[in-house]
Amino acid sequence: MPRIAGVDIPNEKRTVIALTYIYGVGPHTSRKICEELGIDPSVRAKDLTDDQLSHIAAFLDKGVVHEGNLRRQIQSNIQRLKEIACYRGLRHRRGLPVRGQRTSTNARTRKGPKKTVAGKKSVKK
């Protein structure tokens, strides 16, 4: 498996698809990398030469925020929102959806499993 930016990319996938396994590299960036470096996008990742792999790694280091740096940048942005106590920061702090989704019925991914609250007991006659 070729290793680029600390990530093992899959052998049997086309280069354009394999590069998207790197955090921060999507389909658009992947196509741009292949185009600028003159790599055929349909070539399998296992068929890339060491020279091409080093060119890809250099391109990523030079022009694309990826992997650890991107994760750190996203975390610092969220931390800043929490510190300035804006609406989005408060939603992050409470673990609720941030982008305006409804929470009365859905939002189980952010809120976690249901917490059942005991209701009133009905009086039987």
Side-chain angles (χ1 to χ4, degrees), residues 36-76:
E36 288 196 21
L37 297 178
I39 297 170
D40 183 20
S42 61
V43 170
R44 301 287 168 180
K46 66 181 179 186
D47 298 330
L48 291 173
T49 64
D50 290 334
D51 190 39
Q52 289 173 326
L53 290 172
S54 63
H55 283 333
I56 292 171
F59 185 89
L60 286 172
D61 288 338
K62 181 184 63 158
V64 180
V65 181
H66 61 282
E67 283 301 323
N69 291 337
L70 181 59
R71 292 179 203 273
R72 223 177 344 273
Q73 186 177 13
I74 291 170
Q75 274 308 116
S76 68

Side-chain angles (χ1 to χ4, degrees), residues 1 10 12 16 20 28 41 45 48 70 76 93 116:
M1 282 187 151
E12 295 302 321
V16 168
T20 62
H28 177 77
L48 291 173
L70 181 59
S76 68
R93 196 179 294 165
T116 306

